[in-house]
Amino acid sequence: MTTKTHCPYCSLQCGMTLANTGAGRRTLEVQPWAEFPVNQGALCRKGWTSGGLTGHRERLTTPLLRDRATGEFRSVGWDDALDVVAGTLAAIREEHGADALAVFGGGGLTNEKSYQLGKFARVALGTSQIDYNGRWCMSSAASAANRAFGVDRGLPFPLADVEQAEVVVLVGSNLAETMPPAARHLDRCRENGGEVVVIDPRRTSTADRADLVVQPVPGTDLALALGVLHLVISGGHVDESYVAERTSGWEAVRDHVAAWWPERVERVTGISVPELHALADLMTSHRRVMVLTARGAEQHAQGSDTVLAWINVCLALGLPGREHAGWGCLTGQGNGQGGREHGQKSDQLPGYRMIDDPAARQHVAGVWGVEADSLPGKGRSAYELLEALGTPEGPKALLVHGSNIVVSAPNATHVAERLEALDLLVVCDLVLSETAAMADVVLPVTQWAEETGTMTNLEGRVILRRQARRAPSGVRSDLDVIAGLAERLGSPVPFSTDPETIFAELGRASSGGKADYAGITYERIETELGVFWPCPTPEHPGTPRLFADAFATSDGRARFLDVEHRGPAEPCDGEFPVHLTTGRVLAQYQSGAQTRRIRELPDGGAFIEMHPLLAARIGVADGMRVTISTRRGELTAPARVATTIRPDTVFVPFHWLGVNRLTHDALDPASRMPEFKVCAARVEAA
């Protein structure tokens, strides 16, 4: 038996076919699905090996309770586990109020799970304290897009449009390693005569596909964008009619960037004046130009302003809404888009409605069958939620679905201390992740091939994952967990466990919202190979491309927004003289809870990449042990000496425990994104 479904990892959501093979059909074999347009049968090594967790010896198959006195786990039945969780939650709520309960979700959960988790928090628990790890993925781009365009959809056009662009500018993206099947679109762009620009402090494998590589000082992408816009204006390249007819706020931005002359940009970014001119010339000499931002530019304490600065460049050139042109964000997590659209984010209700909007509250409450006044207000953002755990004013209990916080959170030692301060920590996971190992209750849940549900990929294409095999005995879906807890907690409304029923309800709840799924059904998704939102009615064709005629603002105009470069929250100094930046490697994904357990994927652990000049200065050679320190912690790992990184910068991949003990928890004031991508560090021979 074969099943057409999608990869469990990144936001491409590549199509694949799964076949149950081997003795007793216990082996899950990944095969191509050539018809799916995003990847056309291609997969990266993570996709090809994604069946490796099925039947893994570390797979959890029974609920676990931890004895706090000994730290040891014991197996219990599902009813006992859910009774313990619900009873403790109810007691904490009775003593401390509903906001003493918190929920932390994940950007890999299906739309159905994301929707139910948001509904569960606000209806069954009555708490405002819910957020998710997608806050650390796309939130800066989302904040910028909402402010500039009135709507947040990662790519406002299909990914394949990249092939027809004349210039593609990747800002902070290592596309060839983070989502390799997408790199074929860059190759085809160049085959069609287009040119590719990579802006990154490291010369990554993506740069091998580039015509121009620009390596700024970490944390200075905003200043670089201001410099490009300065040259757009001084060179007479502003699309004046577009600016007049389709935008507002131009004058303030124009006047501000007058001060960002090339020599000033060079001093801040390290990009020479000729390099800056080359970048601006490339962008101004073509009509079909795309700027695609990613985590390298966004995971900063001014990440949303950085994205706005690049959007300003695009608007001045008249790109958004033009065919095969414009700005877009390369979403990271598998459902980073849909995960926030339908209720996991602390300030949002389904359909990308804002929780403090009375009309939105009334609509969603009507679908849920509760009073609008009963819904809580806006809660804490992801890091602020974690920071408040176990404090007198913060939550006393936390339910975690689809996130390995101990590895992925910034300033992770501090976060682990907050988790230890809780009265109750419940983790739903496939394996005993680093976070699950700290839990009081661990609930074993299904993985992607064992359940049906929808995801929304980086293009805004809603796709359908079909169940390919039964879950192991003793394993339940997150939907079953939510329903079981809701019933025990005396929820005023029942919670379904059927994903298609939940998706239909999600459609009703999102109807009329920015992310309108009302016209999308499982049948349509299968027939049409995905449906682009907004899709308000069954007759609507979906919306592959946004902004052709108008933007989603009140007056239909895009907004220029004046932003200023401030630099990293933690600049280098004599004690910590180099920049630390983090990122991903080809064989691993996110916190590595899944990929580090797949035998076919190489797992050499963390390394510290540095330039030969820096290595010589501290007296180390390639492969030697090096200790990197920041004001929050230290890590010892092998040096990887390479000429492809700036001499003032070191790079460490974040898939392993300990790396995010180094990173800074400064937050973007608009998006509440932590500053993962730059902090001050010191390196020395171990």
Side-chain angles (χ1 to χ4, degrees):
M1 182 185 76
T2 61
T3 304
K4 286 184 170 60
T5 186
H6 296 270
C7 180
Y9 296 120
C10 81
S11 65
L12 286 181
Q13 286 300 288
C14 292
M16 59 168 59
T17 302
L18 297 180
N20 290 285
T21 61
R25 297 187 179 276
R26 288 182 296 180
T27 302
L28 202 60
E29 180 182 307
V30 178
Q31 300 172 353
W33 179 12
E35 294 79 16
F36 189 68
V38 174
N39 61 308
Q40 298 173 331
L43 295 166
C44 71
R45 66 173 70 177
K46 294 188 290 290
W48 287 120
T49 60
S50 56
L53 267 184
T54 305
H56 195 280
R57 60 185 175 82
E58 293 186 51
R59 185 72 188 277
L60 297 175
T61 57
T62 182
L64 302 174
L65 293 185
R66 183 167 68 94
D67 185 327
R68 286 204 167 191
T70 65
E72 295 181 354
F73 285 106
R74 62 182 176 89
S75 299
V76 296
W78 269 99
D79 284 341
D80 289 341
L82 294 178
D83 287 346
V84 167
V85 173
T88 308
L89 291 174
I92 292 172
R93 183 171 61 181
E94 177 68 24
E95 182 176 356
H96 300 286
D99 275 359
L101 312 179
V103 176
F104 198 92
L109 300 180
T110 63
N111 288 318
E112 291 79 1
K113 291 181 184 179
S114 301
Y115 173 80
Q116 288 290 76
L117 204 57
K119 178 181 175 181
F120 171 78
R122 293 167 176 118
V123 174
L125 296 180
T127 183
S128 66
Q129 301 300 296
I130 176 172
D131 214 274
Y132 83 130
N133 63 18
R135 176 77 72 169
W136 303 335
C137 174
M138 266 192 72
S139 62
S140 287
S143 171
N146 276 319
R147 291 164 67 191
F149 303 133
V151 68
D152 154 38
R153 197 181 85 184
L155 291 182
F157 40 71
L159 183 62
D161 279 12
V162 168
E163 299 176 12
Q164 303 304 318
E166 294 173 294
V167 177
V168 177
V169 182
L170 297 173
V171 187
S173 168
N174 184 9
L175 193 69
E177 289 194 68
T178 57
M179 45 183 70
R184 62 175 44 205
H185 297 297
L186 297 180
D187 296 337
R188 290 173 181 169
C189 171
R190 298 182 75 199
E191 289 167 5
N192 292 334
E195 298 184 74
V196 174
V197 179
V198 169
I199 300 173
D200 196 313
R202 302 169 63 224
R203 189 181 180 97
T204 64
S205 59
T206 306
D208 296 337
R209 290 173 154 89
D211 301 279
L212 176 64
V213 180
V214 180
Q215 294 182 258
V217 173
T220 64
D221 296 291
L222 197 161
L224 182 61
L226 296 175
V228 170
L229 185 53
H230 178 101
L231 293 178
V232 168
I233 297 168
S234 63
H237 301 295
V238 175
D239 188 333
E240 299 287 359
S241 61
Y242 178 98
V243 168
E245 295 167 10
R246 301 206 60 188
T247 73
S248 63
W250 167 237
E251 291 76 11
V253 171
R254 179 196 60 201
D255 294 346
H256 173 243
V257 300
W260 282 92
W261 54 90
E263 291 77 12
R264 181 186 180 190
V265 175
E266 181 180 68
R267 289 198 300 271
V268 172
T269 67
I271 301 305
S272 69
V273 171
E275 286 181 290
L276 183 63
H277 276 280
L279 173 58
D281 289 347
L282 200 57
M283 295 183 69
T284 57
S285 58
H286 298 85
R287 280 188 53 78
R288 300 194 306 276
V289 178
M290 281 186 184
V291 176
L292 304 178
T293 62
R295 305 305 80 70
E298 298 163 8
Q299 285 181 322
H300 294 270
Q302 55 176 159
S304 56
D305 282 355
T306 298
V307 175
L308 285 170
W310 285 103
I311 288 175
N312 286 342
V313 173
C314 292
L315 290 172
L317 293 171
L319 302 176
R322 182 182 297 172
E323 192 173 17
H324 306 129
W327 169 85
C329 167
L330 296 167
T331 310
Q333 293 191 80
N335 203 28
Q337 182 72 52
R340 69 183 177 284
E341 291 171 359
H342 300 302
Q344 283 192 95
K345 202 156 166 275
S346 64
D347 56 353
Q348 290 177 196
L349 289 171
Y352 220 119
R353 289 179 158 90
M354 304 313 293
I355 200 165
D356 54 4
D357 176 1
R361 295 169 63 85
Q362 193 68 44
H363 173 85
V364 173
V367 174
W368 288 350
V370 299
E371 294 297 323
D373 290 345
S374 71
L375 300 180
K378 185 167 72 171
R380 296 177 174 94
S381 71
Y383 186 77
E384 291 164 309
L385 173 59
L386 298 179
E387 195 173 40
L389 297 176
T391 64
E393 302 79 23
K396 317 298 181 192
L398 178 69
L399 280 65
V400 179
H401 292 255
S403 188
N404 190 8
I405 299 167
V406 174
V407 176
S408 63
N411 196 5
T413 299
H414 175 61
V415 169
E417 291 169 353
R418 302 294 0 119
L419 293 175
E420 289 173 345
L422 288 166
D423 294 344
L424 176 68
L425 175 61
V426 181
V427 175
C428 296
D429 213 328
L430 321 175
V431 294
L432 197 66
S433 68
E434 289 82 355
T435 305
M438 297 181 64
D440 298 292
V441 184
V442 182
L443 301 176
V445 291
T446 49
Q447 62 168 305
W448 108 107
E450 299 160 357
E451 60 190 17
T452 292
T454 61
M455 307 282 279
T456 305
N457 80 346
L458 79 170
E459 312 163 294
R461 185 196 302 258
V462 185
I463 55 94
L464 179 63
R465 288 180 179 174
R466 281 290 190 191
Q467 182 180 1
R469 65 181 307 153
R470 291 180 181 174
S473 177
V475 172
R476 296 186 182 181
S477 166
D478 295 82
L479 298 177
D480 293 299
V481 173
I482 292 168
L485 289 177
E487 182 180 7
R488 286 168 171 81
L489 288 163
S491 169
V493 296
F495 281 73
S496 174
T497 60
D498 176 64
E500 192 164 5
T501 300
I502 296 167
F503 187 76
E505 183 182 306
L506 181 160
R508 296 193 297 275
S510 71
S511 180
K514 291 180 180 179
D516 193 334
Y517 284 32
I520 307 176
T521 63
Y522 279 20
E523 183 179 3
R524 278 196 67 180
I525 294 171
E526 287 190 300
T527 301
E528 301 173 28
L529 300 180
V531 181
F532 292 86
W533 69 260
C535 182
T537 66
E539 298 76 30
H540 193 281
T543 313
R545 294 174 181 84
L546 302 175
F547 313 144
D549 301 313
F551 295 95
T553 56
S554 58
D555 59 3
R557 290 173 173 262
R559 308 281 191 255
F560 279 98
L561 290 152
D562 189 21
V563 293
E564 178 59 283
H565 170 73
R566 298 188 301 275
E570 185 179 72
C572 294
D573 56 23
E575 186 180 3
F576 297 97
V578 298
H579 303 282
L580 166 64
T581 190
T582 64
R584 290 194 269 165
V585 295
L586 178 63
Q588 298 297 324
Y589 181 72
Q590 302 300 79
S591 74
Q594 296 176 77
T595 50
R596 284 187 278 115
R597 288 174 167 84
I598 293 180
R599 185 175 51 207
E600 296 89 346
L601 294 175
D603 178 10
F607 58 84
I608 301 170
E609 183 178 288
M610 65 183 68
H611 193 276
L613 291 176
L614 178 57
R617 194 166 79 214
I618 65 173
V620 301
D622 190 70
M624 291 178 62
R625 304 283 287 177
V626 175
T627 297
I628 181 169
S629 308
T630 71
R631 290 180 172 85
R632 289 153 296 282
E634 66 177 40
L635 172 77
T636 299
R640 182 172 294 184
V641 181
T643 59
T644 51
I645 191 169
R646 292 180 55 92
D648 59 2
T649 302
V650 292
F651 167 83
V652 184
F654 61 67
H655 310 289
W656 293 273
L657 182 66
V659 175
N660 272 319
R661 292 173 181 166
L662 308 173
T663 50
H664 204 306
D665 56 6
L667 300 181
D668 181 295
S671 67
R672 317 310 290 167
M673 168 78 82
E675 188 149 72
F676 287 101
K677 281 297 183 284
V678 62
C679 66
R682 177 178 63 244
V683 288
E684 51 201 343

